[in-house]
Amino acid sequence: MPVHMELRRIIINEVDESQIIVLKEVEGDRSFPIVIGIFEAASINRRVKGEQSLRPLTHDLITSVVELMGGEIQDIVISDLKEHTYFAKLRVRKDGELIEVDCRPSDAVALAVTAKVPVYVAEDVLGEALDED
């Protein structure tokens, strides 16, 4: 059963290429970091702060395309962890069908913040992430 998580922190380090987002369990105390790129971290940070851009950025574009094609972003799920790399699914509902699209966790979280949808992490992934710490 996937665990409902929320974005707890964004750590932006301007002297290093690796940025960190921290996801925390909504109804619990477990949390874990995910290393992401500077552009994704900046995009997520902008959305969390409610900053608007003059033109649509990539995550705005994806959200708009899904909606204009009659779909609705339902949620995102961080679904797997292989060799220290997380994998995620963007889950789109269209015409009663659930469509899962492979994506990077950083893009998935940015889309979740943009579309204001829940973030879930597979229980086994959460267990593996906590074992690695």
Side-chain angles (χ1 to χ4, degrees), residues 92-121:
V92 176
R93 181 139 326 259
K94 182 173 182 338
D95 299 329
E97 180 183 353
L98 185 61
I99 303 162
E100 293 186 339
V101 181
D102 183 36
C103 64
R104 299 180 305 172
S106 55
D107 289 326
V109 171
L111 284 162
V113 172
T114 301
K116 297 175 178 56
V117 298
V119 174
Y120 294 98
V121 177

Side-chain angles (χ1 to χ4, degrees), residues 38-83:
I38 185 66
F39 297 113
E40 293 82 5
S43 179
I44 293 167
N45 194 44
R46 247 189 321 273
R47 278 155 179 66
V48 167
K49 290 181 176 179
E51 295 175 2
Q52 300 294 319
S53 61
L54 296 175
R55 302 288 301 142
L57 300 175
T58 303
H59 302 109
D60 302 312
L61 173 65
I62 292 168
T63 301
S64 293
V65 166
V66 167
E67 290 172 359
L68 289 169
M69 294 184 77
E72 177 183 324
I73 298 175
Q74 176 176 297
D75 54 29
I76 66 109
V77 177
I78 298 176
S79 56
D80 209 352
L81 174 60
K82 294 179 187 171
E83 299 178 16

